[in-house]
């Protein structure tokens, strides 16, 4: 299964190698910038130009949680390997770590001078890597909300 998101405001799962569409999700009001399966494979996260991050349940075929808190478009998203946390990167210059279970923002990472364009958890760690339009990469320890480099 392959997951895609695009300018049409939709995410789609595709059968591979046949290329047939298995599921389509709609609900965002602007382009999708990122989409990622939860490690368990039962849910996915999407990020959008509409400033939101959404959690989708594949068995229910719908959005089960909308995370709001960024003031500009969200450029990327990522699941932590444990499946309980989602990270988002935004054009507002911040990144956020969301606790999916409590449905709230746990941490806001500030330090980039321009848009944060991508974010990834390092596997099985509390470290995230962000990249920014300010031409820097940063490593963050999300337990202490401190910039490592």
């Amino acid at each position: 299964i392959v997951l895609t998101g695009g300018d049409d405001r939709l995410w789609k799962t595709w059968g591979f190698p046949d290329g047939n569409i298995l599921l389509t999700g709609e609900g965002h009001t602007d382009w999708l910038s990122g989409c990622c399966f939860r490690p368990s494979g039962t849910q996915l996260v999407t990020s959008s130009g509409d400033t939101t991050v959404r959690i989708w349940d594949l068995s229910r075929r719908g959005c089960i949680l909308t995370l709001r808190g960024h003031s500009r478009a969200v450029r990327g998203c990522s699941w932590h390997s444990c499946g309980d946390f989602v990270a988002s990167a935004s054009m507002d210059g911040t990144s956020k770590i969301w606790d999916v279970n409590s449905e709230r923002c746990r941490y806001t990472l500030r330090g980039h001078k321009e848009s944060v364009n991508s974010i990834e958890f390092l596997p099985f760690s509390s470290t995230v890597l962000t990249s920014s339009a300010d031409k820097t990469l940063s490593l963050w320890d999300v337990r202490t909300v401190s910039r490592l480099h």
Side-chain angles (χ1 to χ4, degrees), residues 4-114:
T4 62
D7 289 343
D8 60 1
R9 306 173 185 173
L10 303 174
W11 59 263
K12 296 175 184 174
T13 58
W14 304 77
F16 185 77
D18 298 337
N20 52 322
I21 297 173
L22 303 174
L23 292 173
T24 299
E26 60 182 74
H28 281 290
T29 59
D30 210 337
W31 45 270
L32 268 66
S33 55
C35 48
C36 181
F37 283 110
R38 188 174 191 162
S40 65
T42 59
Q43 295 176 337
L44 57 95
V45 62
T46 56
S47 54
S48 172
D50 66 11
T51 74
T52 68
V53 175
R54 292 181 185 240
I55 308 294
W56 306 80
D57 188 287
L58 297 174
S59 63
R60 295 185 200 168
R61 297 182 181 225
C63 178
I64 58 169
L65 179 61
T66 300
L67 301 168
R68 293 179 173 85
H70 285 294
S71 61
R72 296 191 59 203
V74 183
R75 301 280 300 173
C77 56
S78 174
W79 281 101
H80 186 273
S81 52
C82 74
D84 294 332
F85 300 97
V86 165
S88 60
S90 173
M91 290 179 70
D92 65 13
T94 69
S95 298
K96 293 186 180 290
I97 307 300
W98 304 90
D99 184 327
V100 176
N101 297 319
S102 67
E103 303 181 359
R104 66 178 183 89
C105 177
R106 177 74 66 92
Y107 305 111
T108 299
L109 309 177
R110 293 181 174 89
H112 285 294
K113 294 177 176 62
E114 294 185 34

